[in-house]
Amino acid sequence: MSSNGDASPDESSRPVGVVVGGGLAGITAALALADGGMDVTLLEGRPRLGGLAFSFKRGDLTVDNGQHVYLRCCTAYRWFLDRIDGASLAPLQERLDVPVLDAGKNRLGRLRRTALPVPLHLAMSLATYPHLTLAERANVGRAALALKGLDLTDPALDERDFGSWLAEHGQSQRAIEALWDLVGIATLNAVAGEASLALAAMVFKTGLLSDPGAADIGWARVPLGDIHDTLARKALDSAGVRTELRTRVTSISPTENGRWAVEVPEGPDSSGQILAADTVVLAVPQRETHGLLPDGALDGQDRLLDIGTAPILNLHVVYDRKVLKRPFFTALGSPVQWVFDRTEASGLTEGQYLAVSQSAAQDEIDEPVAVLRERYLPELERLLPAARGAKVHDFFVTRERTATFAPTPGTGALRPAARTRVPGLYVAGAWTATGWPATMESAVRSGVGAADAALAALGRPRGHLFREAA
C-alpha cells in the first residue's frame, strides 16, 4: 500500500494522523487521536506492541521481560487500562502493604498504610518499622514534612541530587537504604545520590504525601503481552486505528502543501510506502526521535542526545516447589531488591516461578548468567528458607540496557514538551517532559499530551475519558 507525500486529504476531510512507535506512549496517542476524530495509522518496528513492557515465550512459560508495577496515583495508566478493558487484569492492592525483609537480621518489617488522612496514614507503620532506630524514624518524619513543602515547579530542584538533600535533612545512610532508596530505586531507577531532587520529590510527594491510597500497588496478574499487546490491539482495531507491525520508519519530512510524508522502506514485511499525514507523533526513544526530527524542530535539538539511559536487570528462577508464600517482597542487606511470584501469570502448573527485579543495575547488566546464578541463588536461599534444598528447574536473565532515561540532576531541562516548533509534529515517550520519572504512567501521560496538543491545534473536541486522563 503506497501513497504520494503530496496526496490531498480524503473525501471525508477527516485529518490524518501517523503515530511512529507502538509502546504505551504510541498506543495512547493513537487511541486518543482516533477518539478525537482522526484517521490514524500506528507504525511499529517490532512484531508486537507494548514497547519495553512485553512478554515472550520460553518453552511452556509466558515470561514478562521485567516486573512492572503502577500505583493508585497513576491516573493516566489507570485510564489506559480502562480504555483497553484491562483494569481487572492488573488490580490494585486494597491498601499499601510492602513486606521488607532484612537479610542480615532475618527480620521482617512492613510498610503499610491506614485509612487516616495524610500524613497520619503512614504514622503507625513508621512508628513500628523495625529496620530503623527510634531516632531515625523521627528524622524520617521531619524529612517527609520538609519534602512535602518543596515547590515542584522550582527549576532549582532539578539541579540538585536527592541524596545530598536527604543528608542535609538528617537522614542516615541506613535510613536512605531502608526507606528512601527502597522506594526511590524502584521508581526512579537510580540511587538517591544520582537522582534529581525534582523527580524524587515528585515521586514521594505524589505517591506518599498526597492521598492515603496514592501508593497502593498494582501489577498484572496475567502476562503483560495480554494487556499491552492483545488488548491494546483490540482497542486500536475498535477505534479504527490501522496498526502495522514490523514497519520501521526511516524519515519524516514536511511537504509543500503543509502536510507530512512518512517514509517506510521496502522490506520483508513492507512493500515500501510513503504515508501522507496532517499530524505525526514520534513515540520512540530519544535517540531514534533525534534521528527522525527535521533540523530545527526543537530548541537545542541535540540535547536529546544528552539524556542518558539506565538499565534494569531481571532474574527468573523456576523452583520445583513453592518457596515464597507472599505475592512479593523487597529485601535489605542483600543484593536482591524486589521479588515477585509470577507462577500463575506464566502458566506454570507445578513448582514456583519467581522474578527478581534489579533496578539501577549498571554494575551487573553485562554479567554472565553463570555469575549471576552463583550470586543470587544463595541469596534467595538466605532470604527464603523454603528455597534451601529446592531444585532449580530453570534460571535465566532478561536485560534492558536502556530501560529508562537516567534521572540525573539537570535532566529535566533536557526533556522536551510534546509540541515541536513545526506545526503538525509532536513527540511522546516516558522521557519527554511529563514531570514523572520513566514509568508506564509517564509514557501514557506523554501520549495523552501529544494527542491533546495535536487535537487542540486542529480544533477537535476530546472525549470525557480523555479529558480525565489529561
Side-chain angles (χ1 to χ4, degrees):
M1 177 174 185
S2 63
S3 61
N4 187 294
D6 291 325
S8 59
D10 60 28
E11 293 181 357
S12 67
S13 296
R14 284 163 58 93
V16 176
V18 171
V19 178
V20 182
L24 297 186
I27 296 167
T28 302
L31 287 171
L33 290 174
D35 291 347
M38 295 185 70
D39 286 333
V40 182
T41 298
L42 174 62
L43 306 175
E44 166 56 48
R46 300 180 180 93
R48 53 158 179 80
L49 299 177
L52 293 181
F54 67 93
S55 305
F56 62 93
K57 294 292 290 186
R58 180 181 173 89
D60 294 332
L61 290 182
T62 303
V63 178
D64 289 348
N65 70 312
Q67 180 62 49
H68 296 261
V69 304
Y70 70 102
L71 306 180
R72 194 179 296 276
C73 62
C74 295
T75 54
Y77 183 69
R78 291 171 60 198
W79 167 84
F80 173 81
L81 289 175
D82 286 335
R83 180 65 181 78
I84 65 172
D85 294 327
S88 64
L89 302 180
L92 286 152
Q93 295 176 312
E94 276 191 34
R95 289 187 182 177
L96 174 70
D97 187 358
V98 179
V100 184
L101 181 59
D102 186 327
K105 298 181 180 179
N106 193 27
R107 178 183 295 176
L108 181 68
R110 305 186 88 93
L111 292 174
R112 292 184 280 195
R113 76 166 179 91
T114 67
L116 292 173
V118 173
L120 298 177
H121 67 310
L122 294 174
M124 181 63 70
S125 179
L126 183 59
T128 58
Y129 191 54
H131 306 315
L132 298 177
T133 66
L134 183 61
E136 285 171 332
R137 294 176 214 161
N139 284 338
V140 164
R142 286 190 284 270
L145 290 176
L147 198 64
K148 187 174 175 62
L150 292 178
D151 179 4
L152 296 182
T153 65
D154 181 358
L157 298 187
D158 185 52
E159 299 300 323
R160 297 199 58 192
D161 74 89
F162 187 41
S164 63
W165 185 92
L166 288 173
E168 289 175 10
H169 287 79
Q171 302 307 289
S172 67
Q173 191 56 45
R174 175 63 175 177
I176 292 174
E177 176 192 355
L179 186 64
W180 300 105
D181 267 352
L182 195 73
V183 176
I185 290 176
T187 53
L188 297 165
N189 199 18
V191 296
E194 298 175 3
S196 158
L197 174 57
L199 281 173
M202 182 271 156
V203 165
F204 284 94
K205 286 189 68 169
T206 304
L208 295 176
L209 300 170
S210 64
D211 180 87
D216 299 344
I217 300 173
W219 67 95
R221 306 309 201 268
V222 299
L224 284 173
D226 289 4
I227 301 173
H228 297 160
D229 185 16
T230 304
L231 287 184
R233 245 191 272 193
K234 182 179 178 182
L236 290 164
D237 290 344
S238 297
V241 175
R242 185 180 68 177
T243 302
E244 296 193 9
L245 304 177
R246 297 185 177 89
T247 304
R248 293 198 176 276
V249 172
T250 55
S251 70
I252 60 168
S253 55
T255 65
E256 293 180 357
N257 63 359
R259 305 185 80 206
W260 289 92
V262 181
E263 183 174 1
V264 179
E266 186 174 350
D269 299 293
S270 172
S271 60
Q273 55 184 312
I274 297 178
L275 300 177
D278 302 291
T279 294
V280 174
V281 177
L282 295 179
V284 292
Q286 56 266 36
R287 287 189 171 272
E288 190 175 343
T289 297
H290 181 270
L292 290 172
L293 284 172
D295 290 341
L298 292 175
D299 289 329
Q301 196 157 301
D302 287 346
R303 290 185 300 181
L304 296 189
L305 301 177
D306 295 329
I307 301 174
T309 59
I312 295 178
L313 176 71
N314 286 273
L315 316 170
H316 307 263
V317 190
V318 180
Y319 290 99
D320 67 341
R321 67 191 72 169
K322 190 178 183 70
V323 300
L324 174 64
K325 296 179 181 179
R326 304 177 182 89
F328 70 92
F329 73 95
T330 185
L332 300 175
S334 167
V336 171
Q337 293 178 16
W338 291 74
V339 181
F340 280 78
D341 179 5
R342 299 300 296 168
T343 307
E344 184 176 350
S346 71
L348 185 69
T349 55
E350 294 183 2
Q352 189 172 34
Y353 162 30
L354 302 183
V356 183
S357 183
Q358 302 291 108
S359 299
Q362 288 87 343
D363 294 338
E364 294 186 311
I365 193 65
D366 292 317
E367 290 273 30
V369 173
V371 172
L372 295 170
R373 180 185 178 111
E374 185 177 350
R375 179 179 303 152
Y376 280 96
L377 286 182
E379 279 300 311
L380 288 171
E381 290 184 4
R382 188 160 73 107
L383 293 163
L384 301 170
R388 299 165 192 168
K391 184 177 180 180
V392 176
H393 284 315
D394 199 3
F395 180 99
F396 58 99
V397 175
T398 52
R399 312 172 199 259
E400 293 295 343
R401 290 177 173 81
T402 58
T404 69
F405 71 84
T408 50
T411 297
L414 306 176
R415 301 171 70 185
R419 191 188 301 270
T420 72
R421 298 175 63 186
V422 189
L425 180 60
Y426 306 87
V427 295
W431 55 274
T432 61
T434 64
W436 285 67
T439 56
M440 296 189 296
E441 175 71 5
S442 183
V444 173
R445 282 178 177 261
S446 75
V448 169
D452 186 18
L455 292 171
L458 294 169
R460 292 267 165 172
R462 298 177 293 159
H464 76 282
L465 283 178
F466 184 27
R467 283 200 300 273
E468 288 174 8

